[in-house]
Amino acid sequence: MIIKGLRHNVKLRIQSSGFTLIEVLVAMLITSFGLLGIAGLVVTSLRYNQTAWQRSVATQLATDMMDRMRANSFAVVNDTGAIQSDYMKSSVNVASTAPSVYCTSFNAINNPSCTPTQIAASDLYDWKKSITSQLPGGQGLIQWASGASRQIQITLTWKEAGKSDQSWGSTMESMVSSTTGFNTCPTNGTAGLVIDSTVRCFQITFYP
């Protein structure tokens, strides 16, 4: 009877040990899934933070150009009220080297000989440098509204970093420079191009 009781106790201990090991493995499995979920949340949070930062940069760049144009108003609308085209172009059409006469709206007071056209060229050069250095694949476009509304629209486009839905290459430049619609961000099919979901667009419209 004693031997039978000992065997029974040993059997129970072995079974208990087995159940404990299974419980540990289940707990580790659940913990692993939890850690994977946390890692996914961290990655998603970082991506959204990056997107928010890029939109903030685009807002600052558009506002900067708007202020430059208002400071150099004669390059926008001259003293007779005629609309000018010194600023009306896409950043892809702006020279990558500084103008021979470099003077921006903010330092023109030190260069009284600068003309509105020269100031506009310097402003656009600075703007292009800022766009290409701060936004991945970034490009900008400045255009007048059609008709007599005299509205100016600034459009900024860029490719969200870390995304690769499709091969983008240099098509951003073609897309922006071919966009002529007002109040319209570049869309799929613009100039025959395929636009993927990673392209971001920001627009601001104002009166000079």
Side-chain angles (χ1 to χ4, degrees):
M1 294 294 294
I2 296 175
I3 294 175
K4 184 176 180 180
L6 289 174
R7 288 178 179 175
H8 182 69
N9 291 336
V10 170
K11 185 177 180 181
L12 287 175
R13 289 176 182 174
I14 293 174
Q15 290 176 345
S16 299
S17 299
F19 279 116
T20 301
L21 180 59
I22 292 174
E23 291 170 356
V24 170
L25 290 175
V26 170
M28 290 178 63
L29 182 63
I30 293 174
T31 303
S32 299
F33 280 119
L35 292 174
L36 286 174
I38 293 173
L41 289 174
V42 170
V43 171
T44 301
S45 176
L46 290 174
R47 188 179 71 224
Y48 285 141
N49 286 341
Q50 184 181 57
T51 300
W53 177 81
Q54 290 173 344
R55 289 189 180 278
S56 176
V57 169
T59 303
Q60 293 174 4
L61 290 171
T63 303
D64 173 62
M65 178 49 70
M66 183 175 65
D67 290 340
R68 288 173 182 266
M69 293 176 71
R70 282 176 168 163
N72 186 28
S73 59
F74 284 134
V76 181
V77 179
N78 66 14
D79 54 353
T80 65
I83 293 175
Q84 304 300 296
S85 60
D86 293 327
Y87 284 102
M88 305 301 134
K89 60 180 66 179
S90 69
S91 60
V92 298
N93 295 323
V94 178
S96 299
T97 56
S100 55
V101 179
Y102 179 75
C103 48
T104 69
S105 302
F106 303 111
N107 66 16
I109 190 172
N110 299 319
N111 291 286
S113 61
C114 290
T115 67
T117 298
Q118 291 171 332
I119 294 174
S122 299
D123 284 341
L124 287 168
Y125 167 71
D126 289 341
W127 194 52
K128 178 176 182 175
K129 283 200 309 179
S130 297
I131 292 174
T132 55
S133 64
Q134 297 183 54
L135 292 174
Q139 295 296 338
L141 178 68
I142 304 172
Q143 56 189 149
W144 281 102
S146 59
S149 65
R150 294 209 169 192
Q151 285 181 302
I152 296 175
Q153 181 171 276
I154 298 174
T155 302
L156 287 166
T157 58
W158 68 95
K159 184 176 176 66
E160 186 175 350
K163 293 284 191 175
S164 57
D165 286 2
Q166 298 176 12
S167 177
W168 190 247
S170 60
T171 55
M172 178 75 80
E173 295 187 0
S174 300
M175 181 186 69
V176 176
S177 61
S178 65
T179 301
T180 57
F182 201 74
N183 290 326
T184 304
C185 279
T187 57
N188 195 21
T190 301
L193 301 174
V194 177
I195 312 304
D196 66 40
S197 62
T198 68
V199 177
R200 299 292 175 256
C201 176
F202 175 82
Q203 290 180 326
I204 186 171
T205 304
F206 68 100
Y207 288 94

